[in-house]
């Protein structure tokens, strides 16, 4: 059973410098929510708070009834972060260390099958391509069959073709598991292709600047008029005056005249 | 590339062969008296005589026993203390300053104290070797654990790993390449210290032959013992490096692909 996520008054500061918030959000169970925004707007910080990797400075996060174990929340990082000494199969079973061997083997085999890596089960990470490594990382997050899956720009390092293929994989997985998914991305196409809801974060400190529910049927036709209209709306918002995540740098007088000798 | 690697060891023999020829030439021409520089053929015949009389086997056996005992002791203590200081900041705060202070004491300066405490027989020699082996192994282990990629540790955290489990499942496997380097460094120092210990007073062993050659004015015995020390050191390092390579074959480095160091 998927779980809803409730975020109340969440904020995060580093050394007195506010980075994020306050943010209030309620994410419906079994949906994919994309959080989009410019670099430095606090997207990853928000996800790290959800995944328990950062302690919020203020506020509260409740997932489901608040009694979920670690195994119920999966996390996919921007990079594969596979243990280089473990085979793909052992990496996929990394979160199932306490589970009985037969159940673990079954869960790992299923996760590898879902991401299409059954044939590579005995390979080491050094033998994998970037796309395969990221799929192995996805299998590791999926093997415990999490109720909630947190994804931090998981496909940003991949080439456009592999990225699109992985996005299709993710939709397939969502159909298969029905988990509540939170996807951090700076790619508008990815957000619209995958998410039921798109939250635009603006900073700094990061706050919600837009909240959309694109009614695009999945799988999304990326050439459709509706897709372009939604993309334009997001582009307008992200390039508009309300979004100032990155400080504007001024070129100092005389800087242009410096030459590299 | 394969052919080049296959014959690479031969390239390493060119300079020693030239030096050997030069040495033989100087000895044959009589440019240096045999009491200073005996010819290579005299050294080889001394080695053969030592082999025939059983002296070589006894000496190598005695030295190797001291070396093996000291190495095992040094590695065991360094592994326990290094693991403890690497994993626990409290243990590091308590023990590391003292260990670092002891490291600045020249290891041979311990000899008088060891002789007073443990006598002039085997114990003091083994402990001196252990002191020599301890520091490189300890330093590599502590440094290796401290430098384990934070990103890998976060994978453990999102899967609910306890600090002990993170140490066993992530930090220790990740530190293996640095640990093996430490073992090789310790092995080299171990051979140095066993020679020093035997020179300071032993009734057998390769160090004893060195001392005996000097006392009785027979440089061919000194050179024969030096050659045996070199062979023993190279063989043990080669065996340890080969064993290490099988343990870290997962590394995505040129060395792990088979380049010998």
């Amino acid at each position: 059973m998927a779980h809803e996520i409730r975020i109340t008054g969440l904020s995060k500061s580093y050394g007195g410098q506010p980075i994020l918030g306050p943010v209030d959000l309620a994410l419906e169970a079994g949906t994919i929510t994309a959080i989009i925004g410019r670099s430095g707007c606090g997207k990853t910080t928000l996800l790290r708070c959800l995944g328990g990797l950062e302690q919020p400075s203020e506020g509260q996060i409740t997932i489901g009834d608040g009694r979920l174990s670690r195994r119920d929340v999966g996390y996919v990082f921007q990079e594969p972060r596979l243990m280089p000494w473990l085979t793909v199969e052992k990496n996929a079973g990394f979160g199932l260390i306490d589970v009985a061997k037969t159940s673990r083997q079954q869960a790992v085999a299923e996760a590898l099958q879902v991401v299409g890596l059954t044939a590579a089960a005995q390979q080491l990470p050094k033998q994998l391509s970037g796309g395969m490594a990221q799929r192995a990382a996805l299998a590791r997050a999926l093997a415990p069959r999490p109720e909630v899956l947190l994804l931090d720009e998981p496909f940003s390092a991949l080439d456009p073709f592999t990225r699109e293929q992985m996005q299709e994989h993710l939709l397939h997985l969502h159909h298969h598991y029905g988990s509540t998914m939170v996807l951090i991305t700076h790619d508008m196409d990815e957000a619209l292709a995958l998410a039921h809801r798109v939250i635009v974060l603006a900073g700094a400190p990061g706050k919600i600047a837009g909240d959309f529910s694109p009614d695009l049927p999945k799988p999304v036709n990326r050439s459709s008029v509706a897709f372009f209209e939604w993309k334009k709306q997001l582009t307008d918002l992200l390039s508009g005056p309300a979004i100032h995540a990155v400080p504007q740098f001024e070129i100092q007088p005389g800087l242009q005249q410096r030459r590299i000798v | 590339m394969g052919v080049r690697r296959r014959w690479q060891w031969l390239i390493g023999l060119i300079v020693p062969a030239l030096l050997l020829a030069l040495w033989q030439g100087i000895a044959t021409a009589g440019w240096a008296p045999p009491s200073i520089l005996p010819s290579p053929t005299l050294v080889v015949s001394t080695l053969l005589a030592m082999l025939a009389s059983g002296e070589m086997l006894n000496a190598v056996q005695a030295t190797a026993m001291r070396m093996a005992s000291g190495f095992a002791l040094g590695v065991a203590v360094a592994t326990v203390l290094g693991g403890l200081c690497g994993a626990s900041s409290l243990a590091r705060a308590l023990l590391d300053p003292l260990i670092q202070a002891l490291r600045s004491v020249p290891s041979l300066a311990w000899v008088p104290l060891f002789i007073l405490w443990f006598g002039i027989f085997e114990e003091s020699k083994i402990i001196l070797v252990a002191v020599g082996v301890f520091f490189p192994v300890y330093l590599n282990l502590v440094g290796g654990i401290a430098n384990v990629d934070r990103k890998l540790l976060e994978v453990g955290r999102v899967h609910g790993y306890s600090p002990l489990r993170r140490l066993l499942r992530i930090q220790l496997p990740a530190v293996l390449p640095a640990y093996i380097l430490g073992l090789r460094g310790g092995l080299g120092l171990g051979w140095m210290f066993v020679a020093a210990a035997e020179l300071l007073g032993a009734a057998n062993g390769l160090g004893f032959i060195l001392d005996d050659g000097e006392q009785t004015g027979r440089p061919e015995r000194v050179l024969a013992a030096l050659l045996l020390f070199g062979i023993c050191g190279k063989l043990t390092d080669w065996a340890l490096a080969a064993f290490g390579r099988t343990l870290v074959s997962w590394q995505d480095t040129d060395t792990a692909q088979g380049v010998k160091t």
Side-chain angles (χ1 to χ4, degrees):
Chain A
M1 198 187 92
H3 293 278
E4 69 161 349
I5 300 171
R6 269 167 286 136
I7 302 168
T8 320
L10 179 80
S11 62
K12 178 73 185 172
S13 307
Y14 290 111
Q17 179 76 29
I19 300 294
L20 175 71
V23 171
D24 291 281
L25 265 177
L27 308 179
E28 205 180 313
T31 58
I32 303 180
T33 303
I35 298 177
I36 192 166
R38 288 185 184 179
S39 297
C41 72
K43 313 184 288 284
T44 296
T45 307
L46 173 61
L47 200 77
R48 287 174 67 84
C49 288
L50 286 174
L53 289 172
E54 300 279 355
Q55 279 301 313
S57 305
E58 275 176 57
Q60 207 179 349
I61 295 165
T62 314
I63 299 176
D65 57 5
R67 284 182 294 182
L68 293 184
S69 73
R70 271 280 175 200
R71 205 175 299 150
D72 295 319
V73 182
Y75 202 111
V76 182
F77 296 93
Q78 203 169 343
E79 327 80 20
R81 301 194 186 187
L82 299 173
M83 302 298 147
W85 53 90
L86 296 179
T87 59
V88 168
E89 187 182 44
K90 294 220 165 99
N91 265 295
F94 196 74
L96 295 167
I97 207 87
D98 292 324
V99 176
K101 198 178 171 187
T102 39
S103 309
R104 183 170 67 236
Q105 283 172 336
Q106 204 179 342
V108 167
E110 191 190 310
L112 288 180
Q113 195 185 5
V114 168
V115 300
L117 278 182
T118 306
Q122 297 311 317
Q123 289 189 355
L124 285 168
K126 71 175 181 180
Q127 297 169 292
L128 306 178
S129 67
M132 287 168 87
Q134 199 59 2
R135 276 189 281 157
L138 201 52
R140 178 180 60 199
L142 292 172
R145 292 171 195 157
E147 306 292 345
V148 171
L149 187 59
L150 308 173
L151 304 117
D152 184 7
E153 300 186 38
F155 314 133
S156 61
L158 304 178
D159 65 84
F161 303 108
T162 316
R163 194 185 310 157
E164 214 164 298
Q165 200 181 17
M166 292 290 289
Q167 287 163 0
E168 281 167 25
H169 263 301
L170 196 70
L171 272 183
H172 171 67
L173 292 172
H174 182 256
H175 182 71
H176 191 81
Y177 289 103
S179 320
T180 308
M181 294 187 182
V182 182
L183 170 74
I184 300 295
T185 182
H186 51 69
D187 179 347
M188 282 180 281
D189 285 19
E190 186 169 271
L192 290 171
L194 297 175
H196 303 100
R197 188 174 169 193
V198 179
I199 310 277
V200 179
L201 219 57
K207 291 194 181 78
I208 295 170
D211 189 344
F212 305 90
S213 296
D215 47 354
L216 298 166
K218 304 282 186 299
V220 165
N221 176 3
R222 296 180 196 223
S223 313
S224 69
V225 175
F227 186 84
F228 275 107
E229 280 173 358
W230 276 108
K231 195 172 168 182
K232 186 175 180 313
Q233 255 193 74
L234 285 178
T235 311
D236 289 347
L237 182 61
L238 280 165
S239 56
I243 314 276
H244 288 297
V246 182
Q248 300 298 305
F249 293 103
E250 284 177 15
I251 298 175
Q252 292 168 10
L255 198 66
Q256 308 95 307
Q257 291 161 21
R258 281 171 63 186
R259 285 184 181 175
I260 298 168
V261 182
Chain B
M1 196 66 182
V3 174
R4 198 178 147 189
R5 276 190 187 153
R6 201 176 306 151
W7 297 105
Q8 212 164 26
W9 64 277
L10 267 179
I11 297 170
L13 290 180
I14 293 173
V15 176
L18 286 174
L19 286 175
L20 200 65
L22 183 69
W23 175 12
Q24 182 68 48
I26 291 169
T28 312
W31 293 341
S35 59
I36 301 293
L37 189 69
S39 68
T41 45
L42 181 59
V43 175
V44 171
S45 62
T46 307
L47 276 169
L48 290 174
M50 283 164 68
L51 181 66
S53 67
E55 188 187 9
M56 185 197 287
L57 188 66
N58 287 336
V60 170
Q61 213 168 22
T63 303
M65 278 305 291
R66 288 175 190 128
M67 175 63 198
S69 310
F71 185 73
L73 181 64
V75 168
V77 178
T79 304
V80 171
L81 289 181
L84 202 63
C85 290
S88 154
S89 51
L90 177 65
R92 194 159 56 248
L94 279 172
L95 298 171
D96 196 56
L98 175 69
I99 293 171
Q100 296 294 346
L102 290 176
R103 189 164 73 95
S104 59
V105 177
S107 301
L108 290 178
W110 292 103
V111 170
L113 199 61
F114 288 166
I115 291 174
L116 279 174
W117 284 351
F118 306 109
I120 56 164
F121 300 108
E122 293 306 298
E123 289 85 349
S124 56
K125 294 180 186 62
I126 289 169
I127 288 168
L128 186 64
V129 173
V131 168
V133 171
F134 173 85
F135 288 107
V137 179
Y138 170 84
L139 289 174
N140 274 274
L141 190 54
V142 174
I145 292 175
N147 289 325
V148 169
D149 192 350
R150 173 188 59 81
K151 291 177 175 175
L152 292 185
L153 293 172
E154 281 187 350
V155 175
R157 283 179 62 197
V158 297
H159 286 104
Y161 276 32
S162 66
L164 179 65
R165 187 169 275 177
R166 287 204 292 271
L167 174 72
L168 296 175
R169 298 266 170 182
I170 303 173
Q171 284 165 298
L172 288 187
V175 90
L176 211 52
Y179 183 62
I180 289 164
L181 267 183
L183 288 180
R184 289 181 69 187
L187 188 73
L189 280 179
W191 282 110
M192 200 188 290
F193 280 86
V194 79
E198 288 181 347
L199 275 171
L200 290 166
N204 55 12
L206 293 174
F208 167 75
I209 297 177
L210 281 177
D211 191 43
D212 180 59
E214 185 226 329
Q215 299 290 333
T216 57
R218 288 182 290 174
E220 66 277 11
R221 278 176 67 77
V222 174
L223 285 164
L226 283 178
L227 197 65
L228 288 172
F229 261 125
I231 291 169
C232 289
K234 186 64 197 164
L235 279 178
T236 48
D237 183 62
W238 173 80
L240 188 57
F243 177 62
R245 267 198 303 278
T246 62
L247 288 182
V248 296
S249 58
W250 46 265
Q251 267 192 306
D252 197 5
T253 61
D254 201 25
T255 314
Q257 303 302 317
V259 177
K260 290 169 185 150
T261 51

